[in-house]
């Protein structure tokens, strides 16, 4: 009977649609698609709704309904469903209605049935070894945490392709450029499950050969080859290739800097490297505008000249305006590879006006800094800074009792800092540690000009609890102290807490000491801590819950942990090519203050 019923249904469908052929499609809708949104299904189809806006404004021709077009769209939608793990999806005959506008309304009925889930994932290397037998513990964790497929989750083709690249990358970084990764699926059609067997063939262990350079005109070969992050004869590593490419590109003189391995038709244990260069134009400009809740309207312009003074020197003129910085203008000269491939010298004269909640001031000065990137994880900086500072008024930041001569002051001193960062991935870490420390000393050359020492330490760690769940922790501590008998600390050097990247239940600089009018006056000691759970709730969507704590105290290096302020909240983020972007909603807890704060951020707050 089933073949007869099917034939009758096809005949009825053919008779039904014959009267609607070549009519404009007014609306396409779906019923039964609980797992996949209508918008994603429409992306697979040529049939689309018509509208006045599409026709008159966008100039699109309306789509005409035909039986052949419908069948092709259903075929594409079915393939899409199967790639999403729904192997037994069914599409019933559609409802086709000619409305009063003499246009066709199409309703597509879908029975998704249960998707195929992953029952087990296994790895085998060279047909004989397990992952932990050939890889270090950290590399094994990278595969486990960064691959998306996991047991009891729905099987998806897109996830498999991405995971294949993650697995191969780990072996590329270990010296195996010929690695091949394949997978076998064992589908149980009754239980609607599949196991995944990853097979990794490493190929030979390879080594770096000779490196050649091409495409450069203005910059000599030797300036480029100084940036190479390996030696001939070292074990080949894709990571070192990428690092070398970054070091060359970061010289800032190239539009394209491509470092490639010449892989022969047959596997080889010695691989020559080519560096292809396309130099950037000498003159370039950048402009931008934006809006933020704290800095309000902002705009900037950046003009750059390459090859200034040396073959690789860069000169930048930068100007910015925002609510927090009414003007910020500087001229910066950068000389990459100053002493070593990882060393950069910068000379930086500037003028700046700051308009913070606790103070307003104008300052001008310059700095000389040496930046060192010792590795992908470790970087340091050391330099000298000189500033002239003029406070706009004397009723900001609790300095009513400061002598007039101290509303203008001079600062000069040494600055030093380092950052260790092995977290990965860079824009959205799921594991690793970030440690940064900075210190600043004033009154090195100009004596009796407000001598002080300022220190700030920041520690962040990321732990992948399970697939799609990350625990992020942060602790931050700072202190500043005068090194003479005076107690005046410049307002811009004091610590402030509260805001988007601080304790999120408060507005910018709203935590800590205040004057009689409620204006933040800053303090000499700072402590902040945060704990945040981050959840993947879709391919591009993230959700977070967090608790922040912190405060600022007047005395130097004096921390009262029974006097912390706390806030809790949640955030929602969308993954973008430049990192997560979204909103945080937070309010104080255990506090008389109870107002909600909303913060917009590009990138995680830590």
């Amino acid at each position: 009977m089933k073949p007869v019923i099917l034939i009758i249904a096809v005949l009825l469908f053919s008779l039904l649609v014959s009267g609607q052929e070549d009519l404009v499609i007014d609306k396409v809708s779906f019923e039964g698609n609980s797992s996949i949104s209508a918008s994603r299904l429409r992306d697979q189809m040529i049939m689309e709704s018509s509208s006045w806006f599409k026709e008159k404004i966008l100039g699109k021709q309306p789509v005409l309904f035909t039986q052949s077009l419908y069948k092709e769209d259903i075929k594409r939608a079915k393939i899409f469903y199967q790639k999403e793990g729904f192997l037994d999806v069914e599409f019933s005959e559609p409802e086709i209605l000619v409305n009063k506008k003499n246009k066709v309304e199409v309703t597509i009925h879908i029975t998704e049935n249960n998707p195929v889930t992953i029952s087990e994932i296994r790895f085998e290397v060279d047909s004989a070894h397990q992952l932990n037998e050939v890889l270090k513990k950290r590399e094994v964790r990278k595969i486990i945490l960064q691959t998306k497929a996991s047991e009891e989750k729905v099987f998806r083709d897109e996830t498999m392709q991405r995971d294949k690249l993650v697995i191969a990358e780990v072996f590329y970084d270990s010296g195996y450029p010929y690695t091949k990764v394949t997978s076998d699926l064992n589908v149980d059609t009754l239980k609607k499950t599949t196991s995944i067997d990853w097979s990794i063939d490493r190929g030979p262990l390879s080594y770096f050969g000779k490196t050649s350079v091409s495409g450069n005109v203005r910059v000599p070969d030797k300036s480029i080859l100084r940036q190479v992050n390996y030696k001939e004869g070292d074990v080949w590593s894709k990571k070192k290739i990428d690092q070398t490419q970054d070091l060359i590109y970061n010289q800032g003189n190239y539009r394209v800097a491509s470092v490639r391995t010449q892989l022969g038709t047959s596997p080889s244990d010695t691989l020559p490297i080519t560096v292809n260069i396309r130099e950037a134009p000498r003159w370039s400009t950048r402009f931008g505008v934006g809006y933020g809740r704290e800095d309000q309207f902002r705009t900037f312009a950046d003009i750059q000249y390459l090859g200034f003074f040396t073959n690789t020197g860069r000169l930048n003129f930068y100007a910015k305006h925002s609510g927090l910085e009414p003007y910020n203008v500087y001229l910066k000269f950068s000389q990459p590879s100053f002493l070593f491939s990882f060393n950069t010298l910068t000379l930086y004269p500037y003028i700046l006006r700051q308009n913070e909640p606790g103070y307003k001031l104008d300052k001008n000065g310059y700095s000389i800094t040496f930046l060192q990137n010792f590795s992908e994880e470790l970087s340091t900086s050391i330099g000298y800074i000189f500033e002239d500072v003029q406070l706009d008024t004397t009723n900001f930041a609790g300095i009513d009792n400061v002598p007039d001569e101290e509303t203008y002051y001079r600062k000069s001193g040494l600055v030093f800092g380092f950052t260790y960062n092995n977290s990965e991935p860079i824009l959205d870490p799921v594991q690793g540690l970030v440690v940064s420390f900075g210190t600043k000393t004033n009154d090195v050359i100009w004596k009796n000009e407000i001598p002080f020492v300022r220190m700030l330490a920041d520690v962040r760690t990321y732990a992948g609890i399970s697939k799609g769940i990350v625990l992020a922790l942060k602790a931050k501590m700072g202190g500043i102290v005068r090194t003479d008998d005076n107690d005046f600390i410049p307002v811009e050097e004091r610590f402030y807490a509260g805001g988007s990247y601080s304790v999120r239940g408060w507005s910018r600089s709203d935590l800590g000491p205040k004057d009689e009018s409620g204006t933040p006056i800053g303090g000499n000691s700072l402590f902040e801590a945060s704990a945040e759970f981050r959840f993947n709730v879709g391919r591009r969507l993230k959700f977070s819950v967090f608790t922040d704590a912190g405060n600022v105290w007047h005395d130097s290096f004096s921390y009262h942990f029974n006097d912390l302020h706390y806030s809790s909240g949640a955030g929602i983020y969308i993954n973008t090519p430049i990192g997560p972007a979204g909103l945080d909603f937070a309010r104080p807890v255990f506090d008389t203050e109870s107002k909600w704060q909303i913060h917009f951020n590009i990138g995680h707050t830590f």
Side-chain angles (χ1 to χ4, degrees), residues 38-47 72-74 76-81:
S39 61
R40 294 182 68 196
L41 288 173
R42 291 190 183 98
D43 288 341
Q44 313 304 314
M45 296 185 168
I46 297 176
M47 290 190 301
E72 286 297 319
D73 275 356
I74 293 303
R76 279 189 285 268
K78 189 171 185 178
I79 292 172
F80 178 70
Y81 254 107

mmCIF file of all heavy atoms in Angstrom, residues 38-47 72-74 76-81:
data_model
loop_
_atom_site.group_PDB
_atom_site.id
_atom_site.type_symbol
_atom_site.label_atom_id
_atom_site.label_comp_id
_atom_site.label_asym_id
_atom_site.label_seq_id
_atom_site.Cartn_x
_atom_site.Cartn_y
_atom_site.Cartn_z
ATOM 1 N N ALA A 38 14.935 29.079 11.447
ATOM 2 C CA ALA A 38 14.420 29.348 10.104
ATOM 3 C C ALA A 38 15.417 30.162 9.285
ATOM 4 O O ALA A 38 15.562 29.952 8.071
ATOM 5 C CB ALA A 38 13.082 30.080 10.198
ATOM 6 N N SER A 39 16.132 31.083 9.942
ATOM 7 C CA SER A 39 17.084 31.918 9.199
ATOM 8 C C SER A 39 18.215 31.078 8.621
ATOM 9 O O SER A 39 18.670 31.317 7.491
ATOM 10 C CB SER A 39 17.648 33.012 10.107
ATOM 11 O OG SER A 39 18.349 32.445 11.201
ATOM 12 N N ARG A 40 18.696 30.075 9.354
ATOM 13 C CA ARG A 40 19.759 29.205 8.838
ATOM 14 C C ARG A 40 19.244 28.339 7.691
ATOM 15 O O ARG A 40 19.975 28.081 6.723
ATOM 16 C CB ARG A 40 20.313 28.326 9.954
ATOM 17 C CG ARG A 40 21.044 29.089 11.046
ATOM 18 C CD ARG A 40 21.614 28.138 12.084
ATOM 19 N NE ARG A 40 22.682 27.328 11.522
ATOM 20 C CZ ARG A 40 23.152 26.207 12.108
ATOM 21 N NH1 ARG A 40 22.601 25.780 13.246
ATOM 22 N NH2 ARG A 40 24.129 25.529 11.556
ATOM 23 N N LEU A 41 17.995 27.911 7.781
ATOM 24 C CA LEU A 41 17.421 27.126 6.681
ATOM 25 C C LEU A 41 17.234 27.985 5.429
ATOM 26 O O LEU A 41 17.494 27.538 4.311
ATOM 27 C CB LEU A 41 16.085 26.531 7.111
ATOM 28 C CG LEU A 41 16.159 25.380 8.122
ATOM 29 C CD1 LEU A 41 14.773 24.987 8.605
ATOM 30 C CD2 LEU A 41 16.859 24.169 7.503
ATOM 31 N N ARG A 42 16.793 29.215 5.622
ATOM 32 C CA ARG A 42 16.613 30.099 4.463
ATOM 33 C C ARG A 42 17.929 30.366 3.743
ATOM 34 O O ARG A 42 17.950 30.593 2.529
ATOM 35 C CB ARG A 42 15.970 31.414 4.900
ATOM 36 C CG ARG A 42 14.522 31.282 5.341
ATOM 37 C CD ARG A 42 13.860 32.645 5.523
ATOM 38 N NE ARG A 42 12.513 32.501 6.016
ATOM 39 C CZ ARG A 42 12.158 32.624 7.286
ATOM 40 N NH1 ARG A 42 13.084 32.921 8.198
ATOM 41 N NH2 ARG A 42 10.910 32.472 7.656
ATOM 42 N N ASP A 43 19.040 30.349 4.504
ATOM 43 C CA ASP A 43 20.348 30.556 3.885
ATOM 44 C C ASP A 43 20.696 29.453 2.889
ATOM 45 O O ASP A 43 21.537 29.662 2.008
ATOM 46 C CB ASP A 43 21.440 30.629 4.961
ATOM 47 C CG ASP A 43 21.381 31.924 5.755
ATOM 48 O OD1 ASP A 43 20.767 32.895 5.280
ATOM 49 O OD2 ASP A 43 21.956 31.952 6.861
ATOM 50 N N GLN A 44 20.057 28.278 3.024
ATOM 51 C CA GLN A 44 20.344 27.158 2.130
ATOM 52 C C GLN A 44 19.463 27.176 0.882
ATOM 53 O O GLN A 44 19.678 26.377 -0.031
ATOM 54 C CB GLN A 44 20.123 25.821 2.873
ATOM 55 C CG GLN A 44 20.751 25.725 4.254
ATOM 56 C CD GLN A 44 22.228 26.002 4.234
ATOM 57 O OE1 GLN A 44 22.952 25.486 3.391
ATOM 58 N NE2 GLN A 44 22.692 26.828 5.176
ATOM 59 N N MET A 45 18.486 28.052 0.838
ATOM 60 C CA MET A 45 17.465 27.997 -0.203
ATOM 61 C C MET A 45 17.520 29.182 -1.150
ATOM 62 O O MET A 45 17.965 30.280 -0.785
ATOM 63 C CB MET A 45 16.074 27.938 0.447
ATOM 64 C CG MET A 45 15.838 26.682 1.266
ATOM 65 S SD MET A 45 14.144 26.613 1.889
ATOM 66 C CE MET A 45 14.084 24.919 2.457
ATOM 67 N N ILE A 46 17.073 28.949 -2.364
ATOM 68 C CA ILE A 46 16.914 30.023 -3.343
ATOM 69 C C ILE A 46 15.562 30.695 -3.161
ATOM 70 O O ILE A 46 15.427 31.907 -3.337
ATOM 71 C CB ILE A 46 17.063 29.470 -4.772
ATOM 72 C CG1 ILE A 46 18.481 28.916 -4.966
ATOM 73 C CG2 ILE A 46 16.768 30.555 -5.803
ATOM 74 C CD1 ILE A 46 18.703 28.268 -6.301
ATOM 75 N N MET A 47 14.541 29.883 -2.797
ATOM 76 C CA MET A 47 13.230 30.473 -2.519
ATOM 77 C C MET A 47 13.361 31.472 -1.377
ATOM 78 O O MET A 47 13.979 31.176 -0.359
ATOM 79 C CB MET A 47 12.213 29.391 -2.118
ATOM 80 C CG MET A 47 11.796 28.469 -3.220
ATOM 81 S SD MET A 47 10.389 27.425 -2.742
ATOM 82 C CE MET A 47 11.029 26.577 -1.324
ATOM 83 N N GLU A 72 14.742 21.287 -5.515
ATOM 84 C CA GLU A 72 16.163 21.557 -5.329
ATOM 85 C C GLU A 72 16.432 22.157 -3.955
ATOM 86 O O GLU A 72 17.419 21.820 -3.301
ATOM 87 C CB GLU A 72 16.664 22.499 -6.433
ATOM 88 C CG GLU A 72 16.807 21.849 -7.792
ATOM 89 C CD GLU A 72 17.836 20.734 -7.788
ATOM 90 O OE1 GLU A 72 18.893 20.899 -7.148
ATOM 91 O OE2 GLU A 72 17.563 19.688 -8.400
ATOM 92 N N ASP A 73 15.554 23.067 -3.506
ATOM 93 C CA ASP A 73 15.733 23.668 -2.187
ATOM 94 C C ASP A 73 15.588 22.647 -1.080
ATOM 95 O O ASP A 73 16.324 22.666 -0.083
ATOM 96 C CB ASP A 73 14.733 24.813 -2.001
ATOM 97 C CG ASP A 73 15.242 26.124 -2.576
ATOM 98 O OD1 ASP A 73 16.396 26.153 -3.036
ATOM 99 O OD2 ASP A 73 14.498 27.123 -2.561
ATOM 100 N N ILE A 74 14.636 21.745 -1.214
ATOM 101 C CA ILE A 74 14.446 20.698 -0.204
ATOM 102 C C ILE A 74 15.656 19.782 -0.170
ATOM 103 O O ILE A 74 16.116 19.360 0.901
ATOM 104 C CB ILE A 74 13.160 19.901 -0.483
ATOM 105 C CG1 ILE A 74 11.931 20.778 -0.289
ATOM 106 C CG2 ILE A 74 13.083 18.671 0.414
ATOM 107 C CD1 ILE A 74 11.820 21.397 1.085
ATOM 108 N N ARG A 76 18.759 20.642 -0.847
ATOM 109 C CA ARG A 76 19.828 21.370 -0.146
ATOM 110 C C ARG A 76 19.574 21.418 1.361
ATOM 111 O O ARG A 76 20.496 21.271 2.162
ATOM 112 C CB ARG A 76 19.936 22.790 -0.713
ATOM 113 C CG ARG A 76 20.725 22.883 -2.010
ATOM 114 C CD ARG A 76 20.966 24.337 -2.389
ATOM 115 N NE ARG A 76 19.742 24.926 -2.904
ATOM 116 C CZ ARG A 76 19.417 24.937 -4.189
ATOM 117 N NH1 ARG A 76 20.225 24.418 -5.083
ATOM 118 N NH2 ARG A 76 18.295 25.495 -4.595
ATOM 119 N N ALA A 77 18.313 21.650 1.743
ATOM 120 C CA ALA A 77 17.978 21.708 3.168
ATOM 121 C C ALA A 77 18.210 20.355 3.846
ATOM 122 O O ALA A 77 18.674 20.287 4.987
ATOM 123 C CB ALA A 77 16.533 22.149 3.350
ATOM 124 N N LYS A 78 17.902 19.270 3.125
ATOM 125 C CA LYS A 78 18.092 17.935 3.694
ATOM 126 C C LYS A 78 19.574 17.642 3.906
ATOM 127 O O LYS A 78 19.975 17.114 4.951
ATOM 128 C CB LYS A 78 17.472 16.883 2.781
ATOM 129 C CG LYS A 78 17.437 15.489 3.386
ATOM 130 C CD LYS A 78 16.611 14.539 2.545
ATOM 131 C CE LYS A 78 16.484 13.176 3.224
ATOM 132 N NZ LYS A 78 15.637 12.247 2.431
ATOM 133 N N ILE A 79 20.409 18.006 2.928
ATOM 134 C CA ILE A 79 21.855 17.813 3.071
ATOM 135 C C ILE A 79 22.382 18.630 4.253
ATOM 136 O O ILE A 79 23.217 18.159 5.039
ATOM 137 C CB ILE A 79 22.578 18.206 1.767
ATOM 138 C CG1 ILE A 79 22.221 17.213 0.656
ATOM 139 C CG2 ILE A 79 24.085 18.263 1.974
ATOM 140 C CD1 ILE A 79 22.735 17.623 -0.712
ATOM 141 N N PHE A 80 21.876 19.849 4.402
ATOM 142 C CA PHE A 80 22.292 20.697 5.519
ATOM 143 C C PHE A 80 21.925 20.053 6.848
ATOM 144 O O PHE A 80 22.737 20.033 7.791
ATOM 145 C CB PHE A 80 21.637 22.066 5.383
ATOM 146 C CG PHE A 80 21.946 23.010 6.508
ATOM 147 C CD1 PHE A 80 23.216 23.538 6.664
ATOM 148 C CD2 PHE A 80 20.973 23.366 7.435
ATOM 149 C CE1 PHE A 80 23.516 24.413 7.703
ATOM 150 C CE2 PHE A 80 21.257 24.231 8.469
ATOM 151 C CZ PHE A 80 22.529 24.750 8.603
ATOM 152 N N TYR A 81 20.715 19.533 6.957
ATOM 153 C CA TYR A 81 20.284 18.853 8.184
ATOM 154 C C TYR A 81 21.188 17.660 8.483
ATOM 155 O O TYR A 81 21.588 17.431 9.637
ATOM 156 C CB TYR A 81 18.839 18.386 8.041
ATOM 157 C CG TYR A 81 17.850 19.223 8.822
ATOM 158 C CD1 TYR A 81 16.993 20.101 8.186
ATOM 159 C CD2 TYR A 81 17.767 19.117 10.206
ATOM 160 C CE1 TYR A 81 16.080 20.866 8.903
ATOM 161 C CE2 TYR A 81 16.862 19.864 10.938
ATOM 162 C CZ TYR A 81 16.021 20.743 10.279
ATOM 163 O OH TYR A 81 15.129 21.504 10.991
#
